[in-house]
Amino acid sequence: MKVLVIGNGGREDAICKKISESNKCTELFCSKGNAGTLRYAENVELNSNEEIFRFSNDNNIDLVVVGPEAPLCEGIVDLFKDSNIKVFGADKKSARLEGSKDFAKKFMKKYDVPTARYETIKSIEEGKKAIENFSYPIVIKADGLCAGKGVRICNTKEDVLDYFKELFEDKIFGKEGSTVVIEEFLRGKEASLLCFVSKGNLIPMESARDYKRIFDNDEGENTGGVGCYSPSELFNEELKLQIEKILEKISNGLKKENLEYSGVLFIGFMIDEDAKVLEFNVRFGDPETEVVLPRMESDLLLAIEKSLDGSLEREDLKWKKEKCLTVILTSRGYPKNYEKGKEISGIDSVDKDIYVYHNNTKVNGSKILTDGGRVLSVTALGNSYDEIREKVYRNIEKISFETKQYRKDIGKM
């Protein structure tokens, strides 16, 4: 089977590695890929959904696996609808579960999925009235795709009005911020659950916990994620029963709303006494993928095929008992201003039981250079998080690049 993976981050590096291990994969391409995906795929530079469609037809691709959210929300799956090429991912209609926070909240409310109380606004004046119904802190979310940077927790009315100005007047996210969701602030611990979606049925993978804030002790700006581990320690038997009921409600909603795609649904939870849903994504999470797929014993390519034909069952997914943890090395200044093009050294010197996924890297001759804010995910499996943390942090010291920065507290419960 000839496979094309779309994307150039750590998620796609992890997907490519796992697919390359399948006996069913005969040839693997990645667009645009990075220095890491080159280890098991041929990188090809395709700059639009139309270019991806033409390449797939011209090269007899059997399966396209879409990593990032943007191509899904732009309708890449719909583009392939009348072709013989299978695409693993949400169609444009279903992708609104991620592409519009307002759409997702309305879906949750309609199908009784537990979530934070909210209101949707389209102007500063509407916002001034709406926030009177909430206490502080308060969560303000730009409706559309903002590369994981559209959510802000505000502690005062002044903070809220400043953010409204940025969204509605300064238009920092363009049309993606023209609609805004105001939510009550939920307290507790976050957890993530990736699920295969097979014709509207949800088949859960293993849980994870993501770290969003750039600095230790959850301080600083929100990021796309700078560390992660799997499984979440919160997922006891009682919580699993709660989540099963939530998955049933979501699956019921997908079918009734004709959102029966074949792909992945990422569910972000806030866990306190009960579980509430924070958000949906319609693709593998990043960095969750870098800790979930290393624990997967099953053939990912086979699971994707079964998801596409609607035959995937829970029994098809086998998982290692070992835990997995990753720490992401970032460029100093991320998630705001940072420099790229710094030479990376030491990746080849890490221990054999450490795996380094590439988030944003590129090849320049014989050198590997940084090419974004999140650079490398240093990852390991083990029997306890203390054991894994020691291994990962010890090996991080072997990797060098100017502007290297990372959190020191990933995996501390």
Tab-separated table of all heavy atoms in Angstrom, residues 49 64 205 224 256 269 360 387 405 407:
chain	number	residue	atom	x	y	z
A	49	ASN	N	-4.340	21.696	-1.152
A	49	ASN	CA	-5.127	20.467	-1.259
A	49	ASN	C	-5.181	19.978	-2.696
A	49	ASN	O	-5.168	18.770	-2.957
A	49	ASN	CB	-6.545	20.715	-0.732
A	49	ASN	CG	-6.586	20.864	0.784
A	49	ASN	OD1	-5.598	20.613	1.468
A	49	ASN	ND2	-7.727	21.276	1.304
A	64	VAL	N	-4.405	8.468	1.916
A	64	VAL	CA	-3.891	9.742	2.419
A	64	VAL	C	-4.300	9.870	3.889
A	64	VAL	O	-5.483	9.732	4.223
A	64	VAL	CB	-4.449	10.938	1.617
A	64	VAL	CG1	-3.948	12.257	2.205
A	64	VAL	CG2	-4.057	10.831	0.146
A	205	MET	N	-8.642	5.306	22.142
A	205	MET	CA	-7.247	4.898	22.312
A	205	MET	C	-6.898	5.090	23.783
A	205	MET	O	-7.770	5.102	24.634
A	205	MET	CB	-6.344	5.734	21.392
A	205	MET	CG	-6.654	5.584	19.911
A	205	MET	SD	-5.514	6.531	18.868
A	205	MET	CE	-6.696	7.280	17.733
A	224	GLY	N	1.155	25.283	21.825
A	224	GLY	CA	0.556	24.114	21.195
A	224	GLY	C	0.813	22.837	21.972
A	224	GLY	O	0.372	21.766	21.567
A	256	LYS	N	-26.642	11.345	14.343
A	256	LYS	CA	-27.863	12.115	14.094
A	256	LYS	C	-27.590	13.368	13.266
A	256	LYS	O	-28.456	13.826	12.519
A	256	LYS	CB	-28.534	12.487	15.418
A	256	LYS	CG	-29.195	11.298	16.103
A	256	LYS	CD	-30.082	11.736	17.253
A	256	LYS	CE	-30.856	10.540	17.813
A	256	LYS	NZ	-31.738	10.948	18.935
A	269	PHE	N	-10.617	16.932	28.087
A	269	PHE	CA	-11.462	16.897	29.283
A	269	PHE	C	-10.880	17.768	30.393
A	269	PHE	O	-9.651	17.934	30.486
A	269	PHE	CB	-11.557	15.472	29.844
A	269	PHE	CG	-12.374	14.516	29.022
A	269	PHE	CD1	-11.759	13.641	28.140
A	269	PHE	CD2	-13.754	14.478	29.149
A	269	PHE	CE1	-12.503	12.743	27.387
A	269	PHE	CE2	-14.511	13.587	28.403
A	269	PHE	CZ	-13.889	12.716	27.520
A	360	ASN	N	9.672	20.667	14.422
A	360	ASN	CA	9.939	21.648	13.371
A	360	ASN	C	11.436	21.684	13.104
A	360	ASN	O	12.188	22.392	13.784
A	360	ASN	CB	9.446	23.035	13.787
A	360	ASN	CG	7.946	23.169	13.662
A	360	ASN	OD1	7.412	23.306	12.561
A	360	ASN	ND2	7.251	23.125	14.788
A	387	GLU	N	11.013	6.941	36.549
A	387	GLU	CA	12.057	6.292	35.740
A	387	GLU	C	12.193	6.972	34.381
A	387	GLU	O	13.305	7.262	33.916
A	387	GLU	CB	11.687	4.814	35.544
A	387	GLU	CG	12.566	4.071	34.549
A	387	GLU	CD	11.908	2.787	34.059
A	387	GLU	OE1	10.996	2.265	34.744
A	387	GLU	OE2	12.300	2.312	32.974
A	405	GLN	N	15.229	25.569	24.849
A	405	GLN	CA	14.482	25.837	26.075
A	405	GLN	C	13.512	24.684	26.294
A	405	GLN	O	12.996	24.110	25.334
A	405	GLN	CB	13.711	27.153	25.915
A	405	GLN	CG	12.818	27.527	27.079
A	405	GLN	CD	12.116	28.852	26.819
A	405	GLN	OE1	12.720	29.914	26.928
A	405	GLN	NE2	10.843	28.795	26.462
A	407	ARG	N	10.640	22.780	29.546
A	407	ARG	CA	10.140	22.704	30.915
A	407	ARG	C	10.852	21.583	31.673
A	407	ARG	O	11.170	20.542	31.097
A	407	ARG	CB	8.630	22.479	30.922
A	407	ARG	CG	7.850	23.756	30.668
A	407	ARG	CD	6.355	23.568	30.759
A	407	ARG	NE	5.894	23.071	32.058
A	407	ARG	CZ	4.638	23.225	32.499
A	407	ARG	NH1	3.758	23.876	31.753
A	407	ARG	NH2	4.286	22.755	33.670
